[in-house]
Amino acid sequence: MEEIIRERNERVEVENLRRQLRENKKALREKLFNDLLSNSYIGDIESDLNYLELSELKDRDYFIAVININNFMELIREEDEEQKYIVNLSFYNLVTKFLSSFERDSSETNEDKLVYSVINYKIDQLVIVAHEDIDKFIPAFEDLIKSGRLELGFSITIGIGNKYKNLTDMHISYREACSAALLDRVYGRDIIYIFNDLNFGNKVYSKQLHILVDTKLYDDLKIGAFPEIKKDIVEIITQIKSSKLELDAINTIIYNIVLLSCKTINELGYDVFEIMGEDFNLHFDVKEINNLVQLEEWLLSFFYKINEYINQKRSNRNEKLLSKVKDYVDRNYSENITLTSISKDFGISSGYLSVLFNDHIGQNFIDYLTNLRIQSAKNLLKSTDLKIYEIADRVGYRDAYYFSTAFKKIVGINPTDYREKLSML
């Protein structure tokens, strides 16, 4: 009887555990994604996908987007542990609200098709695993940034990695997305940054580089954030000093730093020997340096030279690109053009194009386009007898009332009064 009771209790316990597993599959799915993002996944991915009812994700293209709260510490009260979780939850609810339209898409097949997954990866960062084209998510991401600022006071930066097919490469796309988000240190927050923007025109990146890299030094090198590079070098030197390493060990560290930096430069499409000179030697000898202060100075000089070269090249390339965009806008301002439509035509993100306008022209895209249209309208008011609504249509406004409002905001008076004022001169 005792044996029967014991076996019965064991069966009940096993059945309870199985029921808990079924009920907690959502948590298990999130754990799977967390392991994949951190590159700590161990197991048979195909078997796990089948068990977690995610088999549809096998061999499907995806990309990773990271959504960061930049001002997280400003939103929580000091010594209030609960507050940070409240902020995190409101952040999670906000993101899921704006992505809800992508939750299921059955337009192409009769079966439900998973479009994205949201992972609450860090207290101040959500991760999106998206299975659609990036440009389909951009409008929702843009609305999310606006709403986060207006509704909850969140300053949000979004970084987007490249597309991959194998889920075990998820940590690579995640690292790329994080690298892209670091651009907010250079160009500002509340913007969407796409990893390809870091190296316009070059889509080939080394997977091995991302696996080997443990310091953000190389990420900072890619985006040209030299103040951050200086901090990274100071941190490396501090670690070397505190570890009391022998010269050979220090030599190996510096060699790997230089080697991985050269690999990063090559991945960005540049030639390290063009930067450093034909006689540049990868095998740096620490014995030639008298102390760690001189070693730090040498590293700073090395990275400064690289950073200046890359920024100059990127600036030249951006100037050529912006010149083409500006010429296009100057010729087509009367058409129904937007920042999103132009960025799509030129193959870059709207956030990056907005940054280029601010940096090189000194005003944002909307202000530039509006001034162009209003200046043309002023000329038409002066030289033609066209009606106000006709002029509005000619300069790109389909709504005459909106045209008049925009005109008055810039000129100070409405179009009718402006024409009357001209006739009195």
Side-chain angles (χ1 to χ4, degrees), residues 265 270-277 302 305-307 309-310:
I265 293 165
Y270 306 115
D271 183 355
V272 66
F273 292 103
E274 184 179 338
I275 302 172
M276 306 304 298
F302 173 74
K305 197 169 185 177
I306 294 170
N307 190 69
Y309 179 90
I310 291 176

Side-chain angles (χ1 to χ4, degrees), residues 33-212:
F33 285 129
N34 272 276
D35 290 345
L36 290 168
L37 287 167
S38 62
N39 196 25
S40 59
Y41 173 76
I42 300 174
D44 184 342
I45 188 67
E46 187 170 349
S47 298
D48 284 346
L49 290 177
N50 289 336
Y51 176 71
L52 296 174
E53 300 173 3
L54 293 172
S55 55
E56 62 180 291
L57 300 185
K58 187 175 181 293
D59 296 326
R60 274 184 64 189
D61 288 343
Y62 68 90
F63 68 88
I64 296 296
V66 298
I67 307 176
N68 297 332
I69 303 180
N70 299 311
N71 59 332
F72 181 79
M73 295 307 296
E74 299 170 13
L75 298 170
I76 60 175
R77 294 187 291 272
E78 290 183 9
E79 301 178 359
D80 190 343
E81 286 297 312
E82 184 183 65
Q83 181 68 14
K84 67 181 182 182
Y85 294 106
I86 292 174
V87 172
N88 173 264
L89 183 59
S90 62
F91 180 39
Y92 182 86
N93 290 339
L94 178 72
V95 172
T96 52
K97 168 188 170 184
F98 275 90
L99 296 181
S100 59
S101 61
F102 296 96
E103 189 167 5
R104 291 278 168 181
D105 180 4
S106 56
S107 59
E108 297 181 2
T109 65
N110 293 326
E111 298 178 358
D112 283 343
K113 187 178 180 183
L114 186 65
V115 176
Y116 77 94
S117 301
V118 181
I119 298 100
N120 203 344
Y121 195 57
K122 295 181 181 179
I123 195 73
D124 60 349
Q125 182 190 79
L126 298 186
V127 174
I128 311 298
V129 184
H131 303 277
E132 290 287 350
D133 291 332
I134 291 172
D135 58 357
K136 291 186 178 180
F137 280 85
I138 294 299
F141 285 157
E142 290 174 342
D143 289 341
L144 171 64
I145 289 173
K146 293 176 186 174
S147 182
R149 172 62 75 182
L150 295 174
E151 293 182 22
L152 300 173
F154 289 164
S155 169
I156 297 172
T157 295
I158 299 177
I160 297 176
N162 278 326
K163 274 192 171 184
Y164 292 90
K165 188 179 291 288
N166 192 332
L167 286 174
T168 56
D169 289 335
M170 190 177 290
H171 66 285
I172 299 172
S173 188
Y174 171 71
R175 286 295 303 276
E176 292 171 345
C178 290
S179 296
L182 285 172
L183 279 170
D184 66 359
R185 300 175 184 176
V186 181
Y187 297 117
R189 299 171 172 180
D190 302 307
I191 295 176
I192 302 167
Y193 297 104
I194 300 176
F195 187 63
N196 277 339
D197 291 340
L198 301 183
N199 183 29
F200 183 73
N202 186 350
K203 297 182 179 179
V204 180
Y205 293 89
S206 168
K207 290 184 180 181
Q208 290 78 12
L209 176 62
H210 294 283
I211 295 169
L212 291 171

